[in-house]
Amino acid sequence: MPVPAAMRRYLRKMLRGTLGLAIGATTGVAEFFYVLFGGIALAVPALRRPVFSGARTLSEMERQRLEKYFGEENATDYSGRRAMAYLVPRCVIGLLSAGIFGLILLGAGSGLIIGYQLLDGRSPGGDAPADWYDPVTTLLFGALLVFLSLQGLIGAATLDGKLARYFFGPSKKEQLRRRVSELATSRAEVVEAVNGERRRIERDLHDGVQQRLVALGMLLGRARRATDPKRASDLLRQAHEESQRALVDLREVSWRVYPIALDADGLHPALEALAERSGVPVHLRVDLPERPPAAIETVVYFVASEAVTNTIKHAAATRIDIEAERDGDRVRVRITDDGTGGARESGGGLSGLARRVAAADGQFIVDSPPGGPTVVTAVLPCA
Amino acid sequence: MRVILAEDSTLLREGLVRLLVEEGHEVVASVGDGDALLSTTAAYRPDVIVTDVRMPPTHTDEGLRAALEIRKRWPEIGVLVLSQYVEKRYAAELITGDGERVGYLLKDRVAQVGEFLDALDRVAAGGAAFDPEVVRRLLARTTHTDPLGKLTVRERDVLEKMAQGHTNAGIAESLFVSLSAVEKHVNAIFDKLGLASTAGYSRRVLAILRYLGS
């Protein structure tokens, strides 16, 4: 029987956690002795440094174990003194999990013996013949014990993680360092996003509007060179039509650069205009009791417009849904289509959007399994 | 003359085809990308090809690379390149070699139908045609370095026209001066720039552009 992928992942996670806990149980025993003798050794000032550095080595081992088996990431910038302080409760937890494993082994052993006795027709204990209720009570009691031991394991694992977070949790300095590197990345991304947009505008202008104007000029030039008046007036008529189309193109390009409705009337009318202009039917649901800050409105608008453009270009969709709503102190925009899916966040248009959203400290999620549907979500803070 | 057109915008391509046909040229093929330009050129061997720089699939310099390839493989075919903007690098790459049967125009120049057709004729006739804007840019870049500084305003005008690929007669016509006046200016320019005077006008364009590009 095939096991569903989610189930398999869960089982693997459980096994990995159990293994991590078992290793933690053995290190717990070692740590218990280290804490015991190290604690006594601390009374001698000369021994303090080596004791603390040993404690650091041990807790570094614990930190790596937690990272490997539980995916717990913790900071490394803690002192030897803090490491020693961590080892005291940590060895208790280690011993506790060692105890739980011991009890589980014991329970499994007795379970085997009792099971054998029941199959043999004897009651648990083995002397008297079995009553009819013996298997039932044994089964219920066994299930209860299995449940309790599983709970024990989960509890020990949780405690293990919590303790490490408490002692090694990122210091102020570490938090600051992370924030700075986040900001540096997003700044670089903003620059990249702006450049990408500039390139797009340049292309829109040169490959669209300029071509029209050159064609227009060419028509006028031909009209001037034409000797036959009927032909000249025909060319002029074409030139006139071409000038109208050039204007339409120009309006399109400038709209794509920045929809003026966004400034004047806010997000809702701008999105309505976007929906009207789309070739694929767009269903709009905007629930924003008050206007978010202009910068956030702009990002929301561009997420929506770029997602719609992408959908029209690539997804062969027949319907697009745009939802924008307030969620506490955040704005959430979600664009769903019924197209072919398979969009990747690393793809051209979407990676630009991801950068834009990251620059505003927001989250950007693309969910687009092959075969569809595609859901693009952006959550932006707007305090 | 027999022409192959390479331009990815259908609108412009159709317009150009009509224009050339009206002017009595034969457009043997019109294509939308660099590869097609190379294959049709190999098949038809036209007198001139006219190509846009930016074409699919990369939309960068596909057309220019095809043009350079054509100049290398079939030097007898004239090459007129249309560009969105002045790129000194493109102009420089095109004139390396003998500097004949080659032209580089800004795309907008197509709208000046007369100038465009004139440039096409010059390229087909074995000459050169460089966009006034390209030449101006090239000259502007070098004004602060010597010997060009020694030229008079009039001589600079004549040099510009020369660099665009015009003959002395053409320069005289467009500047409304006599042919002998132009010849006098040209000699003065060659003297001041230290260039040996030669007969063919395309070679002098080459000399000047090389000088400017150096």
Side-chain angles (χ1 to χ4, degrees), chain A residues 23-50:
Chain A
I23 296 172
T26 53
T27 56
V29 177
E31 280 153 13
F32 172 73
F33 287 109
Y34 190 84
V35 167
L36 195 65
F37 295 114
I40 296 165
L42 279 182
V44 186
L47 289 178
R48 278 182 195 163
R49 270 178 67 106

Side-chain angles (χ1 to χ4, degrees), chain B residues 53-73:
Chain B
V53 168
R54 197 149 86 176
M55 278 195 292
T58 62
H59 284 282
T60 49
D61 58 355
E62 288 268 311
L64 184 85
R65 274 186 282 122
L68 292 173
E69 183 66 29
I70 288 168
R71 268 177 76 62
K72 205 166 71 190
R73 275 202 240 168

Side-chain angles (χ1 to χ4, degrees), chain A residues 221-258:
Chain A
R222 280 166 62 200
R224 285 183 63 185
R225 290 169 77 85
T227 41
D228 172 14
K230 190 175 160 300
R231 169 140 192 80
S233 97
D234 190 42
L235 283 166
L236 272 180
R237 185 186 50 75
Q238 285 181 37
H240 188 229
E241 287 166 12
E242 198 57 48
S243 76
Q244 305 298 314
R245 282 195 285 268
L247 275 178
V248 172
D249 272 9
L250 189 60
R251 212 174 299 131
E252 284 284 324
V253 171
S254 57
W255 176 275
R256 275 199 299 265
V257 173
Y258 196 89

Side-chain angles (χ1 to χ4, degrees), chain A residues 267 288 290-297 300 326 331 381-382:
Chain A
L267 196 52
L288 295 167
E290 58 200 274
R291 278 186 71 169
I296 299 300
E297 278 190 326
V300 171
R326 191 77 180 218
V331 171
C382 78

